[in-house]
Amino acid sequence: MGPGCHPSLTGQVSVEVAPSGECVGYSDSAAQVFNNDPGQDRLRTVQRRIFAQNRAAEEVWQRSDRRRPFLTLVYLGTLTGNLTRADEESYVSEREELEGMATAQYALLKESAGADGAALLRIVVANAGRQMIYADRAVAMLAGLARDDPTVLGVVGLVESRTSTARALRELNQAGLPALAPTLSADRMDANSRLYLQISAPNTDQVKLVDAYATQVLKVNDAHVFYTTLEGSSLTEDLYVGTLVDGLRQRFGPRITRLDEWHTGQRLIDECGYTGLLFYAGRWSEFDGFLRALRECGGNPPRHLVADDSANRYMANPGLRAAAPGNLPVTYVSKAALATCAALRAAQDRRDDARASFLSRIQADDLLDPPRCRPGAEVQVGERVSLAYDAAMMLIRAVESLAARLHHADPRQRWEPSAVNPVAVHAEVLRQNAGQGYPGVAGLIRFTADSGEPVDKRLALMRVEQVPDVARAPVEVFRCGVADVPGPAVCGPA
């Protein structure tokens, strides 16, 4: 085994060293924590928190005489392989998604000891390597885990929309495991699995949002679009960027007067003073270089720079933002504007119990490090925390519903994990969803009978006036989709 790859006889750990040297596999205990690179302390910290809560969940279950429903969810993501500086956190998305799942796990642990119907959650953390390129190997290992452990009922995560991710979805479908993606948004990812459920709006909706903002607020007609793909990738392989660019082409048509792939080091002097929509349709990892290239514009920057939702990974990284030009406002797409600190406090004030409970949990002393949204020393909650929390809780509520029906005759009987299976849980999610939808912290989640993509899911545009100013929270300026009650999915200023 290589450095940081620890096979174990305790806990459920199965890992191997991939040809790249990355540690691929899964773990449910501190015997294996993924990623020992410098600078990735917060990623390791949340894994250890989850593993400690795994032990606590097992103990609570035993104390309940095994009456409470007990389930396992797998987090599958990219936990290794990025090139980073020693002071750079490079796995913000993965860390935030793990924090969201940890928050769901924590909420269940805080239930009353007498609440026999409340589920308990164990989380298995799984690594598929850089750009999910070892997803097939990781999924094969997880399929074996699911065969041996009937508590395994679903997979959350997947992180990026790529052909390797699509292949992983097909393999998870073959293994009979539901896949819930907090942030994937390439159009029609659900075509890869009949057991796939997406929490965020598809790229088709993101394009509609940007178009509505350009016409209603900016009052501009023409657009310049720049896209990027990571080294060794392409528009064909990168399904997120590929379907986003295709959607922009279709919706904007001849209004796009420039459409180019941008490469690190390429100058952007021609964009200085541009008065139309300058849209960045690439990956977050190149957004830093894109902004620095616009520094050459000095006092004559482009007037309307808007970035896709991938850019929020950049906006969550204070170290990268420090080097950005200070006179270039950025507006970017958010999938979780309803779960910012300000939005959560407003929800608490209007007695929105679901969001108020989420807020109290992320503020707690014994969960996230650092705690979020505390007055006076405010740390922003993070774009993906609420989305992963919603994914986990939606599946948990389905298990609790099935358990309630199973226990109807004898509420004191022990929980039998083999009494439900992953396919039945997926069907129960859709059954519960068929009415008003699932009331997620980041917005109402509704599916049609034939799609795993959500309908009219809330999207917003957030604006930052000075990118290096990390102390000032972004401001929501525009939105589309519904927040809580099914109805017309209107677009308009916030």
Side-chain angles (χ1 to χ4, degrees):
M1 285 289 175
C5 217
H6 308 293
S8 176
L9 299 177
T10 62
Q12 289 195 284
V13 177
S14 179
V15 291
E16 62 184 34
V17 179
S20 63
E22 296 171 73
C23 188
V24 172
Y26 65 80
S27 171
D28 78 340
S29 79
Q32 171 64 54
V33 175
F34 292 102
N35 199 318
N36 59 357
D37 292 343
Q40 312 316 313
D41 298 336
R42 295 181 72 184
L43 180 65
R44 292 188 289 269
T45 295
V46 68
Q47 290 179 73
R48 292 190 180 102
R49 168 58 59 187
I50 284 171
F51 297 148
Q53 292 185 164
N54 281 348
R55 294 195 305 272
E58 177 74 28
E59 291 167 4
V60 172
W61 190 49
Q62 297 294 349
R63 286 203 303 273
S64 77
D65 197 26
R66 300 190 177 190
R67 284 196 297 270
R68 289 177 64 171
F70 188 92
L71 71 146
T72 298
L73 292 180
V74 176
Y75 176 78
L76 176 61
T78 295
L79 301 174
T80 56
N82 294 345
L83 296 175
T84 60
R85 301 190 311 267
D87 62 346
E88 177 187 351
E89 185 189 7
S90 183
Y91 301 85
V92 172
S93 296
E94 296 79 5
R95 186 256 300 161
E96 288 182 355
E97 289 180 0
L98 285 167
E99 287 176 337
M101 292 186 72
T103 303
Q105 187 182 36
Y106 179 87
L108 299 174
L109 285 169
K110 295 300 181 182
E111 292 278 0
S112 166
D116 286 348
L120 289 160
L121 174 63
R122 181 179 67 130
I123 297 170
V124 170
V125 178
N127 181 33
R130 182 173 182 265
Q131 295 184 22
M132 298 283 292
I133 58 175
Y134 301 113
D136 52 349
R137 185 69 200 114
V139 170
M141 297 163 85
L142 292 172
L145 173 66
R147 284 192 298 270
D148 295 338
D149 184 351
T151 71
V152 177
L153 296 178
V155 175
V156 176
L158 302 161
V159 188
E160 293 186 343
S161 305
R162 299 185 176 278
T163 52
S164 54
T165 313
R167 186 169 63 250
L169 286 174
R170 293 192 292 270
E171 291 165 353
L172 286 167
N173 182 69
Q174 191 171 4
L177 285 173
L180 287 80
T183 60
L184 296 192
S185 59
D187 295 323
R188 295 319 311 260
M189 288 297 285
D190 61 336
N192 296 287
S193 171
R194 62 187 174 84
L195 300 174
Y196 175 73
L197 295 170
Q198 185 171 298
I199 305 303
S200 295
N203 278 349
T204 300
D205 291 0
Q206 183 170 172
V207 170
K208 292 176 184 175
L209 169 80
V210 173
D211 185 23
Y213 179 66
T215 55
Q216 293 181 31
V217 176
L218 301 182
K219 310 290 187 184
V220 298
N221 191 47
D222 65 316
H224 291 177
V225 176
F226 289 88
Y227 66 89
T228 72
T229 57
L230 290 174
E231 181 183 350
S233 186
S234 66
L235 278 184
T236 302
E237 193 280 332
D238 191 330
L239 300 176
Y240 169 77
V241 176
T243 61
L244 183 57
V245 170
D246 283 347
L248 290 163
R249 281 196 188 106
Q250 292 173 24
R251 189 165 186 92
F252 281 77
R255 288 182 290 156
I256 296 181
T257 55
R258 183 176 184 181
L259 175 61
D260 285 331
E261 182 171 8
W262 184 82
H263 298 280
T264 300
Q266 181 180 333
R267 298 180 71 188
L268 290 169
I269 198 78
D270 291 346
E271 301 307 309
C272 298
Y274 175 56
T275 57
L277 171 70
L278 175 58
F279 188 69
Y280 178 83
R283 289 288 182 178
W284 72 276
S285 46
E286 285 86 33
F287 191 53
D288 178 48
F290 189 81
L291 289 179
R292 283 190 280 107
L294 290 172
R295 187 190 294 278
E296 276 195 276
C297 292
N300 186 33
R303 300 295 182 265
H304 307 298
L305 173 59
V306 178
D308 60 22
D309 72 277
S310 182
N312 66 57
R313 295 178 71 172
Y314 167 86
M315 299 304 293
N317 193 316
L320 292 177
R321 287 177 59 175
N327 66 332
L328 183 64
V330 172
T331 303
Y332 63 97
V333 178
S334 170
K335 297 171 176 174
L338 290 165
T340 63
C341 294
L344 291 171
R345 276 195 292 271
Q348 185 180 51
D349 291 343
R350 63 176 183 268
R351 300 180 185 276
D352 179 335
D353 288 342
R355 292 190 176 96
S357 296
F358 177 75
L359 176 61
S360 68
R361 289 160 190 154
I362 62 175
Q363 289 176 326
D365 287 325
D366 56 345
L367 178 60
L368 304 183
D369 184 17
R372 309 297 149 80
C373 303
R374 284 189 170 178
E378 187 161 295
V379 177
Q380 293 302 310
V381 60
E383 174 82 8
R384 289 163 168 77
V385 178
S386 60
L387 295 165
Y389 173 85
D390 286 344
M393 292 303 293
M394 187 168 66
L395 198 144
I396 289 161
R397 296 307 179 213
V399 171
E400 290 176 341
S401 176
L402 289 171
R405 297 207 291 274
L406 288 168
H407 284 187
H408 183 68
D410 181 7
R412 306 300 292 175
Q413 74 183 46
R414 287 185 169 191
W415 172 248
E416 177 50 60
S418 60
V420 301
N421 63 62
V423 176
V425 173
H426 174 266
E428 179 63 16
V429 170
L430 294 182
R431 189 195 70 79
Q432 291 186 350
N433 193 273
Q436 296 294 301
Y438 179 79
V441 171
L444 188 69
I445 304 169
R446 292 185 297 158
F447 301 105
T448 60
D450 60 348
S451 174
E453 288 183 346
V455 178
D456 298 333
K457 184 68 191 294
R458 173 62 69 92
L459 284 173
L461 283 164
M462 311 296 285
R463 184 173 175 86
V464 172
E465 294 298 333
Q466 294 183 312
V467 178
D469 184 4
V470 297
R472 184 167 299 182
V475 176
E476 183 180 349
V477 294
F478 198 78
R479 64 181 65 153
C480 291
V482 297
D484 298 296
V485 180
V490 296
C491 295

